Amino acid sequence: MHYSTKIAAILLVFFCTSFQNIQPVTENNSPGYKLKTVVIDAGHGGHDHGCSGSKSKEKNVALSISLKLGALIEKNFPDVKVIYTRKTDIFLELHERAAVANKANADLFICIHCNANPSSSPYGTETYVMGLHKTAANLGVAQRENDVILLEDNYEQHYDGFDPNDAASHIMFSLFQHAYMDQSILFAAKCEEQFKKTGRHSRGVKQAGFLVLWKTGMPSVLIETGFLTNVKDEKFLASEDGQINMSENIYRAFKEYKYEMENAGGKVDAKKIEEAEKQMNKEEQIISENNQKEEFVNGLEFYVQYYASEIELKISDKKFTSLKNENISYVKDNKWYKYRTGPYSTLDIATQKQSSVRKAGYKDAFVIAYQNGKKIPVDEARLLQPK
Ligand SMILES: [Zn+2]
């Protein structure tokens, strides 16, 4: 054996043994915090399929990744109690999922979902913490995930009158998770970091008002593991390899998070949070810029016209409060001032918007279309859209 190789081997043995010796002492030094219980929540289930791809359903992908993740934690951390909100294909209400975590006094709550978009181009992962959405896209994800309460009985009673279709409703509960924000962001950042490391496209750590995270009394995240509406993402998420990859990534994030938190007595390093938050804001800015650069194919633009007036009203007018998260503008058409939300790049998106604008109190709202700035009939615009 070469001399320097020998030294390297001795050093390696030394480091390995000293690491083994040090570790228990470090743990004993921080008796304050121990990650003992984790709740894994596979999104949707039963008659709630979640979103769908061409052949896969969100409820099945989420369950498979959740079970694999739980098995990894159980195997490697026998001291950690793993609780699943569901292990089979059953329907659970959102408040029941949060109640499982609260009742177990869990130290971490991980919700696993898949994303969807009217366009097939978006792909990649997003990890959400509870908070106020900074972009319309984030609000859209939360609205879609919160929509499932419409399948529940008595949902008005369970969520304090929350209306998933009302953008304003998504502002009211932004502060409940505040006490656990730092830990949630830290864990979320670790998940996204792992996804990136194994070649996934990380869309970053984000914030929005998810009902399932609303009243949980512990650090909580919701992971959108990819877009089932994107061909490549769906192929990956529907495959055994893809599901194993995702569960291993979340497991590695869990392991790192547990280790860091236990060694710091449950406190989060302020510097790490600052880094994660900076990253978060940067990602948000990029996404919102990208949204503004939405592609308008064939010069087509769609709007939802919801109001007309002979008097000019400002878009900040109190009348329009229920639409304050929408992009509002108005045009003068003869003697009328016409108010609309948009523009949207496809008729599909505009039609979805039409229903949320109607629910926001403008029951007669309707879709209008323009081509290269000139108003055209919607039916004509429909035919001009790329197939
Ligand atoms: Zn979902």
Side-chain angles (χ1 to χ4, degrees):
M1 193 185 269
H2 193 270
Y3 185 65
S4 61
T5 325
K6 207 167 170 185
I7 290 185
I10 292 168
L11 282 176
L12 188 68
V13 170
F14 172 75
F15 278 124
C16 291
T17 45
S18 49
F19 188 67
Q20 275 166 3
N21 290 338
I22 286 166
Q23 207 173 2
V25 179
T26 324
E27 281 184 6
N28 289 342
N29 281 347
S30 53
Y33 178 87
K34 202 111 181 66
L35 201 166
K36 296 185 290 284
T37 308
V38 57
V39 172
I40 302 174
D41 176 41
H44 312 275
H47 62 277
D48 166 21
H49 294 191
C51 66
S52 310
S54 61
K55 41 189 181 296
S56 42
K57 289 187 182 113
E58 179 181 2
K59 62 171 186 174
N60 300 328
V61 176
L63 180 61
S64 173
I65 296 173
S66 298
L67 294 175
K68 287 177 167 61
L69 167 64
L72 281 170
I73 299 174
E74 281 162 353
K75 187 177 136 208
N76 294 293
F77 291 101
D79 293 349
V80 173
K81 192 169 172 191
V82 180
I83 296 169
Y84 305 83
T85 53
R86 68 181 180 98
K87 288 184 101 168
T88 54
D89 186 17
I90 53 160
F91 178 73
L92 268 174
E93 302 191 343
L94 289 183
H95 64 100
E96 292 177 314
R97 299 168 189 268
V100 169
N102 286 338
K103 206 173 146 208
N105 226 338
D107 302 295
L108 186 61
F109 183 48
I110 308 172
C111 303
I112 297 182
H113 288 255
C114 305
N115 222 333
N117 196 285
S119 154
S120 62
S121 35
Y123 69 101
T125 62
E126 298 178 341
T127 303
Y128 281 89
V129 299
M130 184 71 185
L132 193 58
H133 54 273
K134 294 201 179 72
T135 67
N138 294 0
L139 171 65
V141 176
Q143 276 181 313
R144 184 177 55 76
E145 298 292 7
N146 293 337
D147 243 4
V148 301
I149 67 170
L150 301 174
L151 301 173
E152 300 178 8
D153 300 325
N154 307 325
Y155 79 84
E156 295 90 345
Q157 284 163 30
H158 287 134
Y159 306 99
D160 298 358
F162 177 86
D163 176 359
N165 292 311
D166 176 12
S169 261
H170 285 80
I171 294 166
M172 78 177 192
F173 55 26
S174 60
L175 289 173
F176 275 93
Q177 258 276 307
H178 201 70
Y180 308 99
M181 193 56 90
D182 283 356
Q183 289 101 314
S184 303
I185 292 175
L186 182 69
F187 180 67
K190 288 189 181 307
C191 291
E192 286 298 319
E193 206 178 288
Q194 292 297 334
F195 301 151
K196 215 186 288 182
K197 271 189 193 163
T198 54
R200 296 296 308 283
H201 167 55
S202 162
R203 295 163 61 95
V205 174
K206 297 168 183 295
Q207 279 182 296
F210 288 90
L211 277 172
V212 68
L213 306 179
W214 181 18
K215 285 183 176 172
T216 54
M218 75 278 319
S220 307
V221 303
L222 187 145
I223 303 172
E224 294 285 359
T225 53
F227 288 78
L228 291 184
T229 42
N230 175 271
V231 178
K232 271 194 183 157
D233 261 11
E234 186 193 12
K235 199 174 162 204
F236 175 81
L237 289 170
S239 73
E240 179 74 5
D241 282 356
Q243 291 167 3
I244 291 174
N245 171 285
M246 285 312 281
S247 61
E248 285 177 349
N249 282 332
I250 304 167
Y251 167 72
R252 278 191 285 270
F254 169 84
K255 189 173 150 189
E256 250 185 45
Y257 171 83
K258 179 180 189 298
Y259 184 78
E260 254 173 51
M261 291 296 288
E262 290 183 353
N263 279 291
K267 288 194 193 75
V268 181
D269 186 338
K271 257 203 185 129
K272 282 194 171 141
I273 286 304
E274 214 176 289
E275 273 165 36
E277 273 178 345
K278 248 189 229 156
Q279 185 62 24
M280 181 156 90
N281 294 333
K282 209 167 80 195
E283 298 274 359
E284 302 273 33
Q285 278 163 16
I286 293 167
I287 297 280
S288 58
E289 277 166 23
N290 285 347
N291 283 345
Q292 278 156 18
K293 280 186 220 131
E294 200 174 352
E295 240 189 278
F296 293 96
V297 183
N298 294 341
L300 291 172
E301 286 180 333
F302 298 89
Y303 291 85
V304 174
Q305 185 175 316
Y306 64 92
Y307 194 76
S309 164
E310 281 184 300
I311 312 158
E312 185 175 4
L313 298 171
K314 290 229 166 69
I315 53 170
S316 56
D317 195 279
K318 258 200 284 191
K319 232 185 183 55
F320 304 145
T321 315
S322 65
L323 295 172
K324 69 178 166 209
N325 286 310
E326 304 294 345
N327 194 19
I328 301 175
S329 59
Y330 64 95
V331 285
K332 192 158 187 235
D333 189 2
N334 292 323
K335 60 175 183 167
W336 294 96
Y337 292 92
K338 294 181 173 172
Y339 292 80
R340 72 261 175 102
T341 69
Y344 311 108
S345 56
T346 67
L347 182 55
D348 267 4
I349 301 174
T351 309
Q352 279 177 26
K353 264 299 161 202
Q354 172 186 284
S355 70
S356 55
V357 170
R358 284 183 178 173
K359 277 169 191 146
Y362 298 93
K363 293 188 171 49
D364 300 315
F366 56 93
V367 174
I368 52 172
Y370 286 82
Q371 186 176 37
N372 303 320
K374 191 174 160 267
K375 202 168 169 193
I376 59 169
V378 172
D379 282 339
E380 195 179 306
R382 186 194 316 267
L383 299 172
L384 290 167
Q385 287 198 114
K387 291 272 144 50

